[in-house]
Amino acid sequence: MEQLMKFGDTAPLPTDIPTLLIALLLAFLCGQLLAWIYMYTHTGLSYSRTFVSSLIIMPITVALVMMILDNNIVTAFSLLAVFAIVRFRNILRDTLDTVYILSLIVIGMACGTQKFTTALIGTLVAGSVLIYIWFTNFGARQRYDLILNLNWSRPLSSLEALEQFLDRHAFKTHLASQNTSHDGSSTQLSYRLLLRNPDRTQDLLNEIAEIQGVSKVSSMVAEDESEV
């Protein structure tokens, strides 16, 4: 038993009170910074106040765990047994939430092992990358702003006038569907538009309704492409 204890107690980390407080304070500040970034950049529908709070507590808890282990094998197995008893049930709906969790776990480990420079630089780099992804909308594939549906009662040969009008309001215009009635008197048209100024959508709808041959105008905001 003495040999096992001696083996478990080799190479202990310093756990004096000032070092302990510095490690926990740094873990708190790093968690607070990433939590603020999460609050400011989150755009999904699965926002949770308790999840944000856990982002602050998590690095502190991990730092404490690393200090408790202190290179002690007996303590490590004991702690593993405790965690095996407790069941954690939480489903993360957003993949990016998992990134925050993993980042803060690593940061907490760095604080707990007193690698303060690594923890600080890692937090700043991770926070900067997360802000960059949010600010640039990196990965988005939305190509159109507006879906425009209308009824065209003039001959199809005169569609050029309508398309010239749409080109004045949109950078890119795509005719997605064209359905002509049996008697050829009208045609249902559906356009996808990448608007020059999305704030002037109502002006576009008002002006196009005044064009001769246009009726039954309806619009719908185009959503981002679905991701699996």
Side-chain angles (χ1 to χ4, degrees):
M1 186 65 181
E2 292 181 356
Q3 293 180 351
L4 180 61
M5 294 300 294
K6 289 180 180 179
F7 177 75
D9 290 336
T10 57
L13 293 173
T15 56
D16 55 287
I17 293 179
T19 303
L20 174 64
L21 293 178
I22 292 174
L24 296 181
L25 179 60
L26 182 60
F28 168 76
L29 294 177
C30 292
Q32 183 76 47
L33 177 60
L34 289 186
W36 275 107
I37 293 175
Y38 179 85
M39 291 172 57
Y40 188 77
T41 61
H42 183 75
T43 56
L45 300 176
S46 59
Y47 180 83
S48 172
R49 177 177 174 270
T50 56
F51 177 77
V52 177
S53 300
S54 68
L55 294 180
I56 301 176
I57 301 298
M58 185 172 300
I60 299 176
T61 304
V62 174
L64 280 172
V65 170
M66 297 304 298
M67 291 181 177
I68 291 173
L69 294 180
D70 202 21
N71 289 336
N72 191 308
I73 295 179
V74 176
T75 306
F77 278 106
S78 301
L79 190 62
L80 182 63
V82 172
F83 281 134
I85 297 174
V86 181
R87 295 182 179 181
F88 301 93
R89 297 181 180 272
N90 185 28
I91 299 175
L92 298 177
R93 299 181 180 180
D94 194 338
T95 307
L96 199 58
D97 292 351
T98 307
V99 175
Y100 279 91
I101 294 292
L102 294 176
S103 299
L104 288 171
I105 288 176
V106 174
I107 290 170
M109 293 175 65
C111 294
T113 54
Q114 298 156 31
K115 298 179 180 179
F116 300 142
T117 303
T118 302
L120 184 58
I121 295 177
T123 302
L124 295 177
V125 171
S128 300
V129 172
L130 290 169
I131 292 176
Y132 162 77
I133 293 173
W134 166 78
F135 183 77
T136 59
N137 199 24
F138 184 81
R141 296 185 60 188
Q142 182 168 344
R143 298 184 177 93
Y144 299 100
D145 300 315
L146 189 72
I147 300 174
L148 182 66
N149 302 312
L150 57 92
N151 185 68
W152 181 254
S153 58
R154 294 167 60 185
L156 294 178
S157 58
S158 60
L159 270 179
E160 183 178 354
L162 175 62
E163 292 177 351
Q164 288 178 353
F165 167 80
L166 294 176
D167 288 339
R168 294 202 304 267
H169 287 269
F171 290 110
K172 184 166 61 173
T173 303
H174 172 65
L175 179 58
S177 65
Q178 175 180 318
N179 299 317
T180 304
S181 60
H182 293 290
D183 56 4
S185 60
S186 64
T187 304
Q188 292 289 335
L189 302 175
S190 179
Y191 286 93
R192 304 294 188 268
L193 305 177
L194 179 61
L195 299 176
R196 298 180 185 275
N197 185 0
D199 295 332
R200 297 192 58 191
T201 301
Q202 190 58 47
D203 295 338
L204 167 64
L205 298 177
N206 294 336
E207 293 178 18
I208 199 172
E210 298 176 358
I211 298 177
Q212 183 181 0
V214 174
S215 61
K216 299 180 181 179
V217 180
S218 63
S219 65
M220 181 174 60
V221 177
E223 299 291 342
D224 289 344
E225 294 186 10
S226 298
E227 297 182 1
V228 178

